[in-house]
């Protein structure tokens, strides 16, 4: 094991240590305040718009669709994380209350891109691992920030975190032009990644899809990349 990976594993194993608290503080501050974070978010949606505009010039036998994750892809939960830092608690404490509040804001660039899709009659699907009993608050939050949304096109978690079955439901009836998410498992072909090396090798193998069929949003705060450490 490389020394850098060993150190990361050690730091994240110190769940209540000062080092992890500091790392979470910096990553949350970066996500909320750094111009670089917003630049990457705008860049992702600008690129997505270019890809879709190009696709619209060709014919499609099936109706077109774009598939989105929700959290840290189109909705911003960083206020929850900031509160957790301030009040010294960890996920999942108060998470369901945060979702129920419907106070998530839009990720920069998301609203404009989603409205662009709607104007061009491209169906929007939200495939999220929020729980099924959080459907109403999720639907209302998406509406409140101005996103085009149909409740039947929000596919939340029922039994498993694996999104492949929900994606297959969409693929049976739509030509999916693009997938957007902040975690590798938001993309086809990454549902079963189990290790640090596997994740990286799978990215290299599928490198041509990133920036084309797959567009990743930045999220240094949490994700499967941490659990495999």
């Amino acid at each position: 094991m490389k020394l850098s990976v060993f150190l990361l594993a050690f730091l994240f194993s110190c769940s209540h240590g000062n080092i992890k608290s500091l790392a979470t503080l910096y990553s949350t501050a970066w996500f909320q305040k750094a111009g670089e974070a917003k630049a990457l978010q705008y860049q992702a949606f600008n690129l997505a718009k270019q890809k879709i505009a190009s696709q619209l010039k060709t014919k499609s036998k099936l109706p077109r669709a774009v598939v989105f994750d929700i959290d840290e892809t189109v909705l911003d939960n960083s206020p929850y994380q900031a509160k957790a830092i301030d009040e010294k608690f960890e996920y999942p404490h108060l998470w369901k209350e945060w979702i129920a509040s419907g106070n998530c804001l839009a990720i920069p660039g998301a609203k404009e891109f989603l409205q662009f899709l709607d104007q061009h009659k491209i169906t929007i699907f939200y495939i999220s691992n929020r729980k099924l009993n959080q459907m109403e608050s999720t639907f209302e939050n998406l509406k409140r920030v101005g996103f085009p949304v149909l409740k039947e096109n929000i596919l939340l978690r029922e039994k498993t975190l694996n999104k492949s079955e929900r994606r297959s439901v969409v693929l049976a009836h739509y030509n999916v032009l693009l997938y957007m998410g902040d975690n590798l498992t938001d993309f086809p072909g990454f549902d079963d990644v189990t290790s640090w090396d596997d994740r990286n090798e799978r990215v290299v193998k599928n490198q041509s899809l990133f920036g084309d069929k797959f567009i990743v949003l930045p999220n240094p705060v949490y994700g499967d990349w941490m659990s495999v450490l």
Side-chain angles (χ1 to χ4, degrees), residues 114-191:
L114 286 160
Q115 290 179 342
F116 167 80
L117 295 176
D118 192 50
Q119 289 164 8
H120 288 85
K121 303 188 185 309
I122 296 173
T123 304
I124 297 162
F125 284 93
Y126 302 92
I127 301 182
S128 167
N129 279 333
R130 290 186 177 197
K131 294 180 180 179
L132 192 59
N133 62 12
Q134 296 169 328
M135 173 66 78
E136 197 61 39
S137 54
T138 298
F139 175 62
E140 291 300 328
N141 199 157
L142 292 167
K143 280 202 310 180
R144 185 180 63 78
V145 296
F147 294 168
V149 56
L150 297 173
K151 191 177 290 186
E152 58 265 33
N153 290 350
I154 304 174
L155 307 180
L156 302 185
R157 168 169 46 122
E158 295 187 51
K159 296 179 181 178
T160 175
L161 294 171
N162 190 311
K163 294 184 174 182
S164 59
E165 192 172 309
R166 283 169 280 168
R167 282 194 293 262
S168 67
V169 171
V170 177
L171 281 169
H173 304 285
Y174 290 88
N175 173 16
V176 177
L177 305 180
L178 197 64
Y179 295 88
M180 298 191 73
D182 67 304
N183 198 21
L184 287 180
T185 52
D186 294 328
F187 303 97
F190 288 89
D191 298 285

